[in-house]
């Protein structure tokens, strides 16, 4: 069997090496043979023969097979790994353990001579040695490849030896480690183990072996010391070998594994290790960065940071440092954390030692070199061998270490003692007098050094900068900032740091700045920029910018910063460090620095500064630059756009808009080859965009007559353009540039722009849309984005654009635009959304509503043309507009606050629209199927508007009732009916049910039975179709409020949330469109209406419209939600007997038997119950519901009991949460719906819902909280009767927050932390509510406090969770009297008692009310 397997493996290797694919038959045969061999090997009575057979026949082919399939992620790689594991089982069988021990003892010189029964083990290692020497090959691959495969296998071999427990003690495993090293040519037991450097492959083997030794905990320091330190000596020999080897990532990986074993292995040669990893910039890489991070972490844990810094300084002194790129990124982050955790005494001691090194080792030498008169401070980023040049490089390195250390020292903290504070003041004085002044004088003495070198100036300015930061920090903390010499802040061409850095004169600073300006070293200039920004921050934080004596000085400083940054066109990426600033990336570094200062100087910017910022942003988008991980111009622009300043500064927003329109005007320059008419059209377009980008206009000022006249003139031109056809073909390059400008526009907070800016945005986007829609097939993305932006601006409703724009022309243009977009699904949806938002904006502006009459005449004309069949598909757009206007007018007229004159205007407009549309609807001669769906929607809205319409119109609407009802039922029964038709039919039925009082004679009992049967049949068909659909495009889940929500999974465009008031919050990511909020009501005014509201399915549909996703599959959740709401509207419209039958039918569908048939049906029925409770019921219907609620609660308890025993976590979010949400809705109706006994059943449900789910924890927690909150608010007397049960549910919430708030459990997961804080806040609110019932809860609140301290004693709470949760416990302590507190001090166990003592002391000190205070 071994021979057969060996032959098959060799055939597979030959196929892989020649690039041929293994046939299915060969793979299946391999699987079968491997499976059979595995069983025969395990069952073989003589494992020594197995080992011999494995060594002679299978080992080499298996290694070869495993090696050549490592990069293959298919089943072949799995087969190879399985074969290797089987061979490992044969090699390391328990029968061979003694043999391995004896053999390794012999070859390491500590045992007797080789016995004959060890020959099998010897043959194994001889085979491996032969492969490594190139003497054993099957001619299937090259000797080098076979050697590499074997080298990769050796750590795996060592790992198998360890995990098969072949090592009776750690010594045996260490001997195997030594022996494997000797096989690859590294003899660790010799005095001179390896003369030559090891290549990366051999280093990789050693790294793997060390990793396995660390994971298996082979090296025990105490045991090894007792045995003479053999392992330590071997590992130090490994270190010697590593330091001899060529620099590569494998070297740093080896060093890291040695560090994991024990830091004492590296200690004797730590300076060489630091020089290798830290002071060798050409060899720095991510692996070296990770090693350094682990190294400083280790020394930090050992409290040996001073020793580590001392070793670094020694390494710097001993090295020839010719260049310094700065410390690695991850090392810096970890070093910062270590420094912040240092004790106060160690902090100041290290600080003093660093200053001492500079003053005793570097300053005297630099001054001595300066006195020679022929000083060479050559510190270029190239190799140098001069000693004086090395001193400059070393000074920069030490200065970088000092500034990195001082930026993170904890010296401004309430825990700092007076003694430490005094030492800090002394060190600050020493630093400025002994270090900074000397270095600055040195720089000024040899000003010509700036022309040739940057070492000393760079190091000096770094130290000055960090000293200034510490000075400002301490000054603000102690409220003792230096007196500002504002007269010397800024002169014509200089900015003096003397207001902060008072240890040097203003004249000297001015001279130094001139030398810096002449220098060609951009890193030095950038350091000076840092000082300038430091001065600027100090000034703005210390004085009022509006002061007359400060503002001119600040303006000069800003001029120097901004006017020197006008070159925005070309600049390379930058890694964010001072040392990498060059001529090529200096502009990037400077703009990045400006971006960080913008929030502070935003209120002081002049118009010229704002224009520079706006031009910078627009130019980067026109250049179509791409962001990268490093700092680049585009990333700086992105941070500005996403930052606070742009969202709040309307001047910058307006200036960017001006630049955008001006750029668009330039892009649409007409070419000489186009016709005269098209050229004239483009010239007008270019003129309008140029006017919109007029920089002479102050767009952010309030509207005056001059600006109004200017806007009216542009608006008139736009209206005339919309009346003309646009057949202009825009070039792809121009479309691309327009797209980038539209993308930039979409990133602006356009929904909060100034009204004038919004007005010109609407006009500009209208022009762009009109210009591009002629070539709609090639510009769909830009057109969709324009339409989306227009919808966002119009939805904001801040600009009365339709008061001066010709509404009829504009709506007619939108109609044509919608018609031309119908060939593109996504664009059609976006255009439809624009139509809806436009109609809403028009209706909400009562001054513009009167203009609808002129468009109504155009609708009448289009209907006449349609009926004559002169044009096709011409009514879709105008019917949608009519339908949307009718819907918005109906909503507006339902509001009670509408003034009488406005109501009269709206009613007249509504009657006129109904008259025109109904005349068209009733002219179909008993065939509504020939009508556009928008016309059906017009009829539905007209049915709702009967109370506001004339009697003749009402009669016309009601006469068509039977036809429309028949059409809607037919649409729901037909399987081939479109989803949009079904949605419209459900909408009509829902309106009929809600208005059944006005249709009593026409909507009969038989109709209601028929509608019920059709709706329930449709409901079942949808659920069946959802079970069989596995498309994966849309997933449905039930949110915390029990609504069926949608989550788009494929394109990730929108994250959506439906709020209680019908608002939809949308966040668009990929599309570039800004966030949008839409609402069906006016702002925050409550809607007063006698009719039940029907909001939610419209929300779903609108979101899908916005994303262009309203396809057949995405319609399903919309129709399901709409169907549920229609059923909920139908039931209250019935008579009592019919009502009871339907209620019983719904109740029967919540039984236990439906859990197995489908969760979706249960959650849908529960949602129908929630909606049903929103309707006004008759007294007889109310009695039926009250009786049904009792049975529903019993069903809910049974369902949750079943769920409590289930292991399926998905049931919690999909079923348990909707059940509790339904209960909350019932509890909110108070005792009139639920008796005290029935309401108390909700507490049983809270006990059954699991709170330990990995993904369902948050919704389950929210659901339980909502139940407890509703009980305490609406059924207070019931809670008083069942306080123990209520307390038990509250205790569950407390315990789960504490247990999940464990710091180790949270880790670095910020999303998990945010959710836990939200849960803790809810618990705090619940405790606050409990606190309002002190008389009833004072005797039991102590039990919750006891539970808290008992749970906290078991875990380490995350600080943020604890910060949120402790105030809740304080509120519980407020309920406890002194007897309860004494009881807690007495009965709590040891350990828990100390936790409570600290908690109570903090409560008494910081929270408890004290009458004296």
């Amino acid at each position: 069997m071994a021979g057969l397997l060996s032959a098959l493996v060799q055939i597979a290797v030959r196929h892989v090496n020649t690039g041929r694919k293994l046939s299915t038959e060969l793979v299946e045969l391999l699987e079968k043979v491997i499976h059979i061999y595995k069983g025969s090997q395990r069952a073989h009575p003589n494992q020594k023969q197995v080992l011999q057979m494995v060594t002679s026949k299978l080992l080499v082919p298996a290694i070869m097979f495993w090696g050549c399939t490592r990069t293959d992620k298919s089943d072949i790689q799995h087969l190879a790994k399985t074969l290797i594991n089987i061979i490992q089982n044969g090699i390391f069988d328990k029968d061979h353990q003694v043999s391995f021990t004896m053999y390794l003892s012999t070859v390491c010189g500590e045992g007797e001579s080789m016995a004959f029964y060890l020959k099998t083990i010897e043959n194994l290692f001889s085979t491996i040695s032969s492969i490594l020497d190139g003497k054993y090959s099957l001619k299937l691959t090259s000797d080098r490849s076979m050697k590499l495969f074997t080298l990769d296998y050796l750590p795996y071999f060592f790992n198998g030896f360890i995990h098969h427990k072949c090592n009776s003690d750690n010594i045996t495993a260490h001997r195997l480690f030594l022996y494997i090293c000797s096989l690859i040519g590294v003899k660790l037991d010799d005095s001179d183990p390896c003369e030559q450097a090891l290549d990366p492959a051999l280093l990789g083997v050693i790294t793997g072996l060390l990793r396995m030794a660390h994971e298996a905990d082979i090296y025990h320091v105490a045991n090894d010391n007792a045995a003479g330190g053999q392992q330590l000596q071997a590992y130090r020999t490994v270190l010697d070998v590593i330091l001899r080897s060529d620099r590569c990532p494998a070297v740093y990986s080896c060093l890291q594994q040695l560090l994991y074993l024990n830091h004492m292995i590296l200690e004797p040669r730590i300076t060489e290790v630091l020089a290798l990893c830290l002071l060798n910039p050409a060899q720095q890489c991510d692996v070296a960065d990770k090693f350094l991070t682990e190294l400083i972490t280790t020394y930090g844990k050992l409290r040996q940071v001073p020793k580590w810094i001392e070793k670094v300084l020694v390494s710097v002194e001993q090295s020839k440092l010719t260049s310094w790129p700065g410390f690695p990124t991850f090392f810096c982050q970890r070093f910062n954390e270590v420094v912040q955790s240092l004790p106060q005494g160690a902090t100041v001691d290290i600080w003093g030692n660093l200053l001492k090194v500079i003053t005793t080792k570097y300053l005297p030498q630099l001054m001595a070199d300066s006195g020679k008169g022929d000083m060479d401070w050559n510190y270029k980023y190239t190799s140098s061998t001069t000693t004086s040049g090395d001193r400059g490089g070393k000074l920069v390195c030490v200065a970088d270490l000092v500034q990195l250390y001082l930026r993170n020292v904890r010296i401004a903290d309430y825990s700092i003692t007076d003694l430490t504070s005094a030492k800090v003041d002394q060190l600050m004085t020493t630093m400025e007098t002994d270090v900074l002044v000397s270095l600055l004088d040195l720089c000024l003495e040899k000003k010509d050094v700036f022309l040739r070198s940057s070492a000393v100036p760079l190091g000096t300015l770094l130290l000055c900068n960090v000293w200034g930061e510490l000075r400002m920090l301490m000054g603000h903390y102690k409220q003792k900032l230096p007196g500002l010499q504002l007269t010397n802040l800024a002169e014509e061409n200089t900015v003096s740091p003397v207001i902060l850095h008072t240890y040097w004169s203003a004249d000297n600073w001015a001279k130094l700045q001139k030398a810096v300006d002449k220098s060609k070293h951009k890193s030095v200039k950038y350091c000076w920029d840092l000082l300038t920004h430091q001065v600027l921050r100090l000034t703005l934080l210390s004085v009022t910018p509006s002061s007359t004596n400060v503002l001119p000085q600040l303006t000069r400083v800003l001029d120097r910063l901004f006017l020197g940054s006008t070159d925005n066109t070309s600049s390379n990426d930058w890694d964010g460090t001072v040392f990498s600033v060059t001529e090529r990336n200096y502009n990037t570094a400077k703009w990045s620095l400006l971006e960080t200062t913008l929030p502070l100087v935003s209120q002081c910017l002049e118009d010229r500064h704002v224009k520079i910022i706006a031009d910078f942003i627009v130019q980067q988008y026109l250049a179509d630059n791409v962001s990268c991980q490093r700092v680049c111009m585009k990333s700086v622009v992105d941070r500005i756009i996403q930052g606070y300043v742009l969202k709040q500064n309307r001047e910058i927003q307006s200036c960017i808009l001006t630049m955008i329109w001006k750029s668009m005007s330039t892009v649409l320059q007409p070419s000489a080859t186009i016709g005269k008419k098209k050229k004239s059209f483009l010239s007008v377009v270019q003129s309008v965009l140029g006017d919109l980008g007029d920089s002479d206009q102050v767009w952010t000022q309030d509207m005056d007559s001059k600006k109004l006249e200017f806007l009216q003139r542009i608006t008139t031109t736009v209206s005339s353009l919309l009346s003309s056809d646009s057949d202009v073909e825009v070039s792809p390059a121009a479309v691309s540039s327009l797209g980038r400008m539209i993308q930039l526009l979409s990133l602006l907070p356009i929904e909060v722009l100034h009204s004038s800016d919004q007005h010109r945005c609407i006009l500009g986007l209208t022009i762009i849309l009109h210009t591009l829609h002629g070539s709609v097939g090639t510009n769909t993305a830009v057109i969709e984005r324009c339409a989306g932006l227009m919808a966002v601006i119009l939805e904001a409703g801040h600009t009365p654009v339709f008061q001066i724009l010709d509404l009829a022309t504009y709506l007619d243009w939108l109609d044509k635009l919608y018609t031309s977009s119908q060939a593109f699904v996504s664009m059609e949806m976006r255009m439809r959304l624009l139509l809806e938002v436009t109609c809403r904006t028009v209706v909400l502006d009562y001054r513009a509503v009167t203009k609808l009459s002129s468009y109504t005449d155009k609708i009448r004309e289009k209907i006449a043309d349609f009926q004559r069949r002169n044009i096709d598909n011409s009514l879709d757009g105008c019917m949608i507009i009519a339908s949307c206007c009718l819907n918005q007018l109906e909503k507006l007229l339902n509001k009670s606050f509408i003034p009488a004159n406005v109501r009269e205007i709206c009613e007249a407009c509504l009657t006129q629209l109904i008259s025109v549309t109904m005349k068209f609807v009733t002219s179909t001669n008993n065939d509504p199927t020939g009508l556009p769906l928008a016309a059906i929607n017009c009829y539905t809205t007209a049915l709702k508007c009967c109370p506001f319409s004339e009697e003749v119109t009402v009669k016309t609407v009601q006469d068509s009732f039977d036809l429309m009802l028949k059409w809607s039922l037919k649409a729901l029964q037909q399987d081939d009916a479109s989803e949009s038709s079904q949605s419209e039919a459900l909408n009509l039925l829902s309106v009929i049910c809600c208005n059944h009082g006005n249709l009593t004679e026409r909507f009969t009992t038989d109709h209601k039975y028929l509608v019920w049967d059709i709706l329930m049949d449709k409901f079942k068909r949808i659920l069946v179709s959802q079970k069989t659909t596995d498309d994966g495009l849309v997933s449905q889940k039930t949110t915390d409020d029990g609504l069926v929500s949608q989550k788009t999974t494929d394109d990730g465009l929108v994250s959506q949330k439906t709020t209680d008031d019908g608002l939809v919050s949308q966040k668009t990511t990929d599309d570039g469109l800004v966030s949008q909020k839409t609402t069906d009501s006016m702002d925050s005014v409550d809607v007063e209406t006698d009719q039940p509201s029907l909001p939610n399915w419209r929300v779903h549909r609108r979101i899908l419209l916005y994303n262009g996703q309203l396809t057949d599959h995405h319609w399903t959740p919309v129709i399901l939600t709409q169907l549920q709401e229609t059923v909920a509207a139908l039931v209250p419209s019935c008579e009592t007997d019919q009502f009871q039958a339907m209620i019983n039918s719904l109740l029967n569908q919540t039984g236990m038997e439906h859990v197995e048939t489908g969760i979706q049906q249960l959650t849908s029925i529960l949602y129908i119950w929630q909606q049903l409770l929103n309707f006004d019921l008759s007294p007889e219907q109310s009695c039926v519901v009250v009786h049904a609620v009792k049975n529903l609660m019993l069903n809910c308890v049974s369902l949750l009991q079943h769920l409590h025993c289930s292991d399926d976590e998905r049931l919690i979010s999909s079923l348990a949460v909707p059940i509790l949400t339904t209960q909350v809705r019932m509890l909110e109706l108070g005792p009139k719906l639920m008796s005290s006994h029935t309401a108390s059943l909700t507490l049983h449900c809270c006990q059954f819902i699991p709170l330990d789910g990995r993904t369902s924890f948050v919704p389950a927690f929210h659901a339980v909280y909502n139940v407890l909150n509703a009980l305490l608010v609406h059924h207070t007397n019931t809670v008083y009767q069942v306080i123990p049960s209520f307390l038990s549910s509250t205790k569950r919430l407390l315990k789960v927050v504490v247990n999940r708030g464990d710091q180790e459990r949270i880790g670095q997961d910020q999303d998990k932390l945010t959710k836990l804080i939200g849960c803790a806040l809810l618990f705090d609110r619940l405790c606050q509510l409990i606190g309002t019932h002190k008389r009833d809860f004072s005797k039991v609140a102590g039990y919750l406090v006891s539970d808290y301290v008992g749970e906290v004693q078991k875990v380490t709470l995350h600080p943020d969770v604890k910060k949120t949760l402790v105030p809740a416990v304080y509120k519980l302590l407020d309920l406890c009297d002194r007897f309860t507190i004494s009881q807690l001090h007495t009965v709590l166990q040891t350990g828990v008692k100390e936790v409570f003592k600290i908690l109570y002391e903090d409560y008494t000190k910081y929270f408890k009310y004290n009458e004296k205070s």
Side-chain angles (χ1 to χ4, degrees), residues 48 51-52 55 116-125:
K48 293 187 181 296
L51 176 58
Q52 185 176 356
T55 303
F116 73 93
Y117 54 83
L118 298 180
K119 289 297 182 181
T120 53
I121 306 295
E122 183 180 10
N123 291 338
L124 170 66
F125 287 104

Side-chain angles (χ1 to χ4, degrees), residues 281-351:
Q283 299 296 335
Q284 282 188 6
C285 59
D286 293 339
V287 184
D289 191 0
K290 186 177 180 181
F291 166 68
L292 287 170
T293 303
E294 296 293 339
L295 188 63
I296 186 59
T297 301
T298 302
Y299 276 85
K301 291 179 179 178
L302 295 172
R303 298 292 188 268
Q304 294 183 6
V305 178
K307 180 179 180 180
W308 185 87
I309 292 180
E310 180 184 350
K311 296 294 184 180
V312 172
L313 294 174
V314 172
S315 299
V316 173
E317 182 65 24
Q318 294 177 353
S319 64
K320 291 186 178 181
L321 198 58
T322 59
S323 62
W324 180 243
F327 291 101
T329 304
F330 294 110
F331 164 78
C332 290
Q333 296 174 1
R334 184 61 189 138
F335 182 73
N336 297 344
E337 297 172 2
V338 170
V339 172
Q340 291 171 14
S341 64
L342 286 174
Q344 299 179 31
T347 299
V348 293
D349 290 343
I350 295 173
W351 189 351

Side-chain angles (χ1 to χ4, degrees), residues 1376-1392:
C1376 301
D1377 54 23
R1378 58 190 180 91
F1379 301 105
T1380 304
I1381 299 300
S1382 300
Q1383 183 183 16
L1384 288 171
H1385 278 297
T1386 304
V1387 302
L1388 290 176
Q1389 297 178 357
T1390 306
V1392 179

Side-chain angles (χ1 to χ4, degrees), residues 54 84 149 154 280 284 321 345 631 702-703 764 786 851 1086 1264 1275 1393 1396:
V54 165
I84 283 289
F149 296 159
L154 288 177
N280 195 349
Q284 282 188 6
L321 198 58
V631 182
D702 294 335
M703 186 70 70
C786 287
K851 296 183 178 183
D1086 293 334
V1264 174
H1275 291 264
K1393 188 179 298 184
F1396 173 72

Side-chain angles (χ1 to χ4, degrees), residues 829-853:
M829 296 178 190
R830 194 62 61 88
M831 290 301 172
R832 176 155 188 157
L833 179 67
L834 179 58
L835 288 178
E836 294 180 1
V837 174
T838 301
C839 294
R840 180 182 183 276
T841 305
V842 170
V843 171
L844 293 182
D845 187 355
Y846 72 93
R847 294 184 180 88
V849 172
T850 55
K851 296 183 178 183
L852 277 176
S853 59

